[in-house]
């Protein structure tokens, strides 16, 4: 089956067949996309959208989690822990989200793993696999197998199969059935193995060359449905979403008026919790942090406490609080051990929600011991970089190669200094470095009194007094903020429009697989819409899913 990985798909597949197919397994003339480009129905006038805000498309490979969820939802086969570990783990680097495309790779390890896992999946399909995707149950009947290939192919490829793809699968079925040690009963499993190793399944491929180069075009129904499903569900479109993708005429031109309702249906689906959990796990680093400890039990308690807090505040079954609670929430969920770190004198048994109003120096999720511990450092550089990127969207470029000597000399010179003394030394030691550090380190001043585990302390290990005051420099339309401690800074940030814009920026990166481009003026409009809708988590996802940018791509030159 591995050979099919190389020859299974061209780079720009279109939803078309060799004719005569019905909606759901048939052709799709998608040249005009899903939006009427002369109107503002369903997402805006394409011509009015700044082309500089629309990126060239990326062929996004399914992450290990997306692969597992897709197989579960489409085939009903859960991967075992061993099978999931066989797939190379998609662990994001730095502050990237696990869904970011440019950092993905494909190695020989992936190819071998896909073949091994596909074989395991095909052995657990169940006797009714033909009936689930075709109105028949005879693996020896050519028409039945064709219907099966088209039905399952639609679900796995997220678009109708092309004629040559169907014929290739039928040819494979004949080869399997004629094998010395196989029979007709082995054919469905063989087709499943082949589909699971084809690029059209493993990659979310869009027709990037369909149009004039540099032109911005609206996605066709199947392209949009795929973007939506892997953004909101981390999995393939279901039957209802594929019906939306096919459109009223069954030609892949979707109805823009039906898009908001489809997004609401997806937000209400239990599968949406996957994306909610994945986003917060990446946003806070909880999904991959060691929490600055070598104790796996403590790390697990910190991780669980943080994610339970986020679910309590923003989850479907939680309080559905405004996103400003990141900065000024009065409730944190913690295990007894974590509650003790937060200064709770008599922790309850098991994880519980605590009113932190009377707890020293706690306000919002940002002062949750686990949030601070997940950063993995108490240094102003490490904490400052993370907090500036995540909370403020002040993106810092990598230091130039020539700065390595300065960094080493500075580290030696500041070894015996307090954090504040070391920071002020860095500001003055080099003009180029100082300007940059002055922008991202001051936000960490507010958290100087929180140790590696997020515990509030007044002195460092050497008995020297720690401080908590500072001034956050002005940035873009955010005025300078003077603060005496973390709660005062967080209170100011909770009310700042720039904080909401930064969350839109973060969710856009998570949903689109790349950060917003410099010309993404739509982020401002999306932030205003989010504020009008109550600034809840679901509204944050909604404004991205219904944005003009989400439903469009920039055409590139072939080749």
């Amino acid at each position: 089956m591995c050979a099919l990985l190389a020859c299974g798909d061209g780079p720009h597949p279109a939803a078309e067949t060799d004719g005569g197919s019905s909606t759901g397994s048939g052709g799709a003339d998608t040249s005009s996309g899903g939006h009427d480009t002369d109107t503002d129905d369903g997402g805006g006038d394409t011509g009015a959208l700044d082309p500089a805000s629309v990126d060239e498309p990326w062929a996004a490979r399914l992450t290990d989690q997306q692969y597992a969820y897709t197989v579960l939802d489409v085939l009903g086969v859960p991967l075992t822990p061993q099978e999931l570990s066989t797939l190379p783990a998609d662990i994001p680097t730095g502050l990237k989200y696990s869904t970011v495309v440019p950092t993905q790779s494909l190695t020989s390890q992936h190819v071998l793993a896909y073949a091994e896992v596909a074989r395991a999946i095909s052995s657990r399909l169940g006797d009714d696999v033909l009936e689930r995707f075709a109105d028949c149950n005879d693996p020896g009947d050519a028409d039945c197998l064709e219907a099966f290939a088209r039905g399952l192919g639609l679900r796995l490829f997220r678009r109708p199969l092309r004629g040559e793809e169907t014929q290739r699968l039928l040819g494979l079925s004949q080869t399997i059935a004629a094998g010395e040690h196989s029979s007709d009963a082995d054919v469905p499993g063989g087709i499943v193995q082949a589909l699971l190793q084809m690029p059209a399944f493993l990659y979310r491929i869009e027709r990037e060359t369909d149009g004039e180069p540099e032109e911005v075009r609206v996605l066709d129904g199947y392209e949009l449905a795929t973007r939506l499903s892997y953004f909101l569900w981390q999995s393939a479109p279901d039957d209802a979403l594929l019906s939306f993708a096919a459109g009223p005429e069954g030609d892949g031109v979707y109805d823009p008026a039906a898009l908001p309702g489809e997004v609401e249906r997806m937000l209400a689906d239990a599968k949406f919790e996957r994306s909610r959990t994945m986003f917060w796990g990446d946003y806070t680093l909880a999904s991959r942090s060691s929490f600055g400890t070598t104790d796996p039990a403590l790390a697990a308690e910190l991780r669980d406490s943080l994610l339970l807090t986020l679910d309590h505040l923003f989850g479907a079954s939680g309080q559905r609080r405004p996103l400003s609670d990141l900065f000024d929430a009065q409730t944190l969920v913690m295990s007894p051990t974590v509650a003790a770190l937060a200064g709770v004198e008599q922790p309850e048994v098991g994880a519980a929600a605590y009113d932190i109003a009377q707890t020293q120096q706690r306000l919002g999720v940002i002062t949750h011991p686990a949030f601070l511990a997940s950063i993995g450092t108490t240094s102003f550089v490490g904490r400052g970089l993370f907090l500036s990127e995540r909370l403020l969207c002040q993106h810092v470029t990598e230091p130039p190669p020539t700065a390595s000597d300065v960094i080493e000399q500075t580290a030696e010179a500041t070894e015996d200094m307090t954090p504040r003394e070391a920071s002020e030394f860095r500001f003055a030691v080099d003009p180029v470095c100082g300007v940059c550090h002055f922008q991202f380190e001051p936000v960490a001043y507010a958290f100087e009194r929180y140790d590696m585990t997020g515990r509030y302390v007044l002195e460092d290990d050497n008995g020297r007094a720690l401080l908590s005051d500072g001034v956050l420099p002005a940035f873009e339309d955010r005025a300078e903020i003077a603060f005496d401690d973390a709660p005062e800074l967080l209170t100011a940030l909770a009310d700042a429009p720039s904080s909401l814009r930064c969350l839109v920026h973060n969710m856009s990166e998570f949903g689109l697989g790349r950060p917003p481009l410099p010309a993404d003026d739509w982020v401002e409009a999306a932030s205003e819409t989010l504020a009008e809708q109550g600034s809840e988590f679901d509204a944050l996802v909604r404004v991205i899913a219904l944005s003009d940018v989400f439903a469009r791509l920039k055409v590139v030159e072939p080749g």
Side-chain angles (χ1 to χ4, degrees):
M1 299 303 174
C2 285
L4 287 169
L5 194 63
C7 66
D9 233 33
H12 315 299
E16 58 179 294
T17 71
D18 51 353
S21 301
S22 61
T23 302
S25 62
D29 176 6
T30 55
S31 57
S32 64
H35 288 274
D36 180 347
T37 57
D38 295 326
T39 72
D40 195 38
D41 293 337
D45 180 354
T46 304
L49 185 67
D50 183 355
S53 68
V54 181
D55 201 2
E56 295 178 357
W58 297 84
R61 176 177 52 76
L62 299 189
T63 67
D64 55 335
Q65 290 294 329
Q66 290 171 344
Y67 182 104
Y69 285 136
T70 301
V71 168
L72 175 63
D73 294 342
V74 176
L75 294 169
V77 178
L79 296 191
T80 66
Q82 181 178 356
E83 290 163 354
L84 187 56
S85 67
T86 299
L87 298 172
D90 287 283
I91 301 174
T93 58
L95 302 185
K96 299 295 184 184
Y97 287 91
S98 54
T99 54
V100 168
V101 179
T103 58
Q104 290 186 333
S105 64
L106 180 70
T107 66
S108 59
Q109 185 182 358
H110 285 89
V111 176
L112 294 173
Y114 290 143
E116 180 180 339
V117 174
R119 283 194 297 271
I121 292 168
S122 68
S123 69
R124 304 201 303 275
L125 290 173
D127 296 334
D128 64 340
V129 65
L130 279 174
E131 292 180 293
R132 280 188 279 146
F133 300 99
D135 190 19
C136 58
N137 194 25
D138 184 358
D141 181 78
D143 290 338
C144 182
L145 288 178
E146 180 172 352
F148 172 68
R150 290 185 183 278
L152 179 57
L154 173 64
R155 292 296 309 279
L156 292 178
F157 283 13
R158 289 83 64 177
R159 59 163 175 80
L161 291 185
R162 299 185 308 212
E164 64 269 24
E165 292 168 335
T166 304
Q167 292 306 311
R168 188 181 304 132
L169 290 170
L170 293 178
L172 172 67
S173 69
Q174 294 172 359
T175 301
I176 295 173
E180 181 178 354
H181 301 291
S182 58
S183 65
D184 291 344
D186 299 310
V187 171
I191 290 176
V192 169
Q193 286 190 52
L195 288 169
L196 291 178
Q197 295 178 77
M198 287 184 174
F201 167 68
L202 296 170
Y203 283 86
R204 296 189 282 127
I205 305 172
E206 297 169 348
R207 296 177 296 109
E208 60 204 40
T209 61
D210 190 358
E212 292 295 323
E214 298 301 309
E215 173 188 63
V216 172
R217 75 162 176 87
V218 178
L219 300 178
D220 70 39
Y222 295 104
E223 292 169 329
L224 179 58
T226 298
R227 281 195 185 185
L228 286 171
S229 65
Y230 283 97
F231 175 27
L232 273 67
W233 291 345
Q234 302 301 313
S235 183
D238 62 4
D239 289 334
L241 188 54
L242 287 171
S243 179
F244 160 81
E249 303 300 323
D251 56 1
V253 181
Y254 67 92
D255 177 10
L259 177 58
E262 197 60 24
V263 169
E264 293 308 309
R265 181 184 71 85
M266 297 178 72
L267 291 172
D269 192 288
K271 294 192 290 292
F272 178 52
E273 291 307 301
R274 300 168 179 170
S275 287
R276 193 194 307 269
T277 300
M278 184 178 292
F279 173 80
W280 286 128
D282 285 353
Y283 180 87
T284 63
L285 303 182
S287 60
R288 57 189 186 272
S289 177
S290 64
F291 293 89
T293 177
T294 57
D295 182 351
L298 176 58
E301 284 197 53
L302 287 163
R303 179 178 298 106
D304 291 347
S305 293
L306 180 54
L307 294 177
L308 285 171
T309 295
L310 292 161
D311 185 64
H312 177 76
L313 295 173
F314 310 122
S317 58
Q319 298 183 348
R320 305 181 78 89
R321 297 283 302 167
L323 291 163
S324 57
D325 268 30
L326 283 170
F327 304 96
D328 61 6
Q330 297 286 332
T331 303
L332 299 179
V333 177
M334 297 176 284
S335 69
T337 300
V338 178
L341 291 173
V344 176
E345 294 183 358
Q346 294 181 322
E348 299 181 24
V349 176
Y354 292 89
D355 182 348
I356 58 171
Q358 304 305 316
T359 304
Q360 190 176 32
Q361 293 293 306
R362 300 289 167 184
L363 183 69
V365 178
I366 309 305
T367 61
H368 194 301
F371 183 93
L372 294 168
S374 71
I375 304 172
T377 180
T378 59
S379 79
F380 286 163
V381 174
R383 273 186 176 171
L385 283 171
F386 174 78
L387 295 171
S388 291
E389 290 271 354
R390 271 296 187 265
L391 305 185
L392 310 177
C393 287
Q394 294 180 213
H395 305 297
V396 181
T397 58
E398 292 290 327
T402 55
S404 57
D405 290 341
V406 176
I407 293 173
E408 183 176 347
Q409 293 166 7
T410 301
E412 293 176 357
T414 59
E415 187 174 359
D416 296 324
M417 294 183 184
T418 67
R420 193 66 60 99
E421 290 169 345
S423 180
E424 292 171 350
F425 181 89
R426 285 188 291 271
F427 293 165
V429 71
D430 182 89
V432 176
C433 296
V435 169
C436 191
H437 280 257
F438 182 73
Q439 289 299 315
F440 70 81
E441 286 198 39
V443 68
Y445 287 6
F447 304 94
E448 183 176 344
R449 287 177 171 170
Y450 299 86
D451 70 10
M452 183 73 80
T453 59
R455 193 167 49 99
Y456 185 75
V457 295
L458 296 176
E459 298 178 340
D460 65 14
D461 293 339
N462 296 315
R464 296 175 298 189
L466 298 173
L467 308 176
S468 62
D469 64 317
V471 177
L472 185 67
F475 180 74
E476 295 181 346
D477 64 346
R478 188 195 68 227
E480 178 181 278
I481 301 174
F483 55 87
D484 289 329
D485 52 29
E488 187 171 356
L489 172 62
L490 293 172
T491 298
L493 290 176
D495 297 329
S498 58
S499 299
L500 205 57
R501 281 201 307 274
C502 189
L503 281 165
V504 172
H505 185 290
N506 276 276
M507 185 58 76
S508 174
E509 181 174 350
F510 178 80
L512 287 168
R514 55 91 174 162
L517 299 175
D520 278 351
D521 294 337
W522 68 271
V523 171
E524 180 70 35
S527 302
E528 293 174 0
T529 301
L530 175 58
E532 293 169 359
Q533 295 183 3
S535 303
E536 296 179 359
F537 184 87
D538 289 15
L540 174 60
V541 174
R542 185 184 299 112
V543 298
I544 304 299
L546 295 177
S547 67
D548 288 352
V549 171
F550 192 84
R552 288 160 173 78
L553 64 76
K554 181 178 291 184
V555 178
V556 299
E557 290 272 5

